[in-house]
Amino acid sequence: MDTIEIETPTGTRLEALLARPQGDGPWPGVVVLHDALGMTDDLRRQVEIVTAAGYLVIAPNLYSRGRARCVQQALRAIVFTGTGPAVGEILAARDHLAADPDCTGRIGVLGFCMGGGFALLTAPQGFHASAPFYGSLYGDYKALLDGACPVVASYGRRDPALIGAPAKLEAALTAGGVDHDIKTYPNATHGFANVFPGNPVLERVGIGYDAEATDDAWRRVFAFFDRHLRDPD
């Protein structure tokens, strides 16, 4: 796993992690998007999981321009505008993968919480598959997801922040004729696939790691990605 810098549409430099699978490429690519906590050890663990499954991975640091400023802009993009520097940075990361000789050119996007929202928001913007973990959009799902790539999404029924989000996503993707796999895990909470410090405390307020749900979610994601990124025909 290497730390690199790439150019962004605004001319600034974007820090990112780049990880290659073992063996010989080329491989499909995946852009992995961090949650609101940023480039944590947990995010690096997620990159390793995706790379081990045989995908060329890039994980852009959406806080490269400064955490406070970037958090505000990122949340504004998801909640209000649907655009902004973070969206351009995600697409720049995708383009960096596409230009890599070790990439087949078929690229997915995957994210957690805030990153899951961006994985949905950018699903219509040139990706071949999207995998949001407890991601949400605000506004008209059908309009925001018009022209979206196939989506495999995972939610927890005990997530107090995203009540109704899976049903909205299901309805929008069905109406748009988008191939999708949406599953809500009955005993899982928000952040169920992330390992944070102090998980026992987090579980009391509705978030926390769930190994069984996590294993099943990754199984579904990789089956979906294999179908759309490796064998699109």
Side-chain angles (χ1 to χ4, degrees), residues 36 70-84 86-87 113-122 135-141 144 161-162 168:
C70 291
V71 169
Q72 183 182 47
Q73 291 177 338
L75 295 178
R76 185 186 300 125
I78 294 177
V79 176
F80 297 113
T81 68
T83 61
V87 173
C113 188
M114 181 188 79
F118 277 117
L120 285 175
L121 194 62
T122 57
S136 182
L137 295 173
Y138 297 84
D140 187 342
Y141 271 58
L144 291 169
L162 296 179
K168 290 180 182 178

Side-chain angles (χ1 to χ4, degrees), residues 36-40 63-72:
L37 297 180
M39 304 293 278
T40 61
Y63 295 163
S64 292
R65 290 169 287 107
R67 178 179 290 268
R69 177 185 179 190
C70 291
V71 169
Q72 183 182 47

Side-chain angles (χ1 to χ4, degrees), residues 15-95:
E15 181 186 84
L17 297 177
L18 182 67
R20 301 177 190 275
Q22 293 184 346
D24 298 325
W27 305 280
V30 177
V31 178
V32 175
L33 305 176
H34 60 72
D35 56 28
L37 297 180
M39 304 293 278
T40 61
D41 289 340
D42 179 74
L43 186 279
R44 290 173 171 79
R45 185 179 66 87
Q46 311 293 358
V47 169
E48 291 174 351
I49 290 171
V50 181
T51 306
Y55 293 92
L56 181 66
V57 176
I58 192 168
N61 181 1
L62 302 180
Y63 295 163
S64 292
R65 290 169 287 107
R67 178 179 290 268
R69 177 185 179 190
C70 291
V71 169
Q72 183 182 47
Q73 291 177 338
L75 295 178
R76 185 186 300 125
I78 294 177
V79 176
F80 297 113
T81 68
T83 61
V87 173
E89 290 166 356
I90 293 165
L91 300 183
R94 180 205 61 201
D95 292 345

Side-chain angles (χ1 to χ4, degrees), residues 93-204:
R94 180 205 61 201
D95 292 345
H96 185 87
L97 276 190
D100 193 309
D102 282 337
C103 184
T104 64
R106 296 195 67 81
I107 300 172
V109 60
L110 181 153
F112 304 86
C113 188
M114 181 188 79
F118 277 117
L120 285 175
L121 194 62
T122 57
Q125 301 192 46
F127 287 102
H128 299 94
S130 173
F133 281 75
Y134 21 91
S136 182
L137 295 173
Y138 297 84
D140 187 342
Y141 271 58
K142 291 181 182 179
L144 291 169
L145 293 169
D146 183 34
C149 62
V151 174
V152 50
S154 303
Y155 295 91
R157 193 176 302 280
R158 294 174 55 206
D159 184 345
L162 296 179
I163 297 172
K168 290 180 182 178
L169 181 59
E170 176 85 44
L173 296 177
T174 299
V178 178
D179 186 22
H180 60 276
D181 171 6
I182 300 171
K183 185 169 182 177
T184 300
Y185 294 94
N187 298 315
T189 66
H190 193 79
F192 70 78
N194 300 109
V195 178
F196 300 121
N199 260 301
V201 175
L202 294 174
E203 289 173 2
R204 295 174 191 166

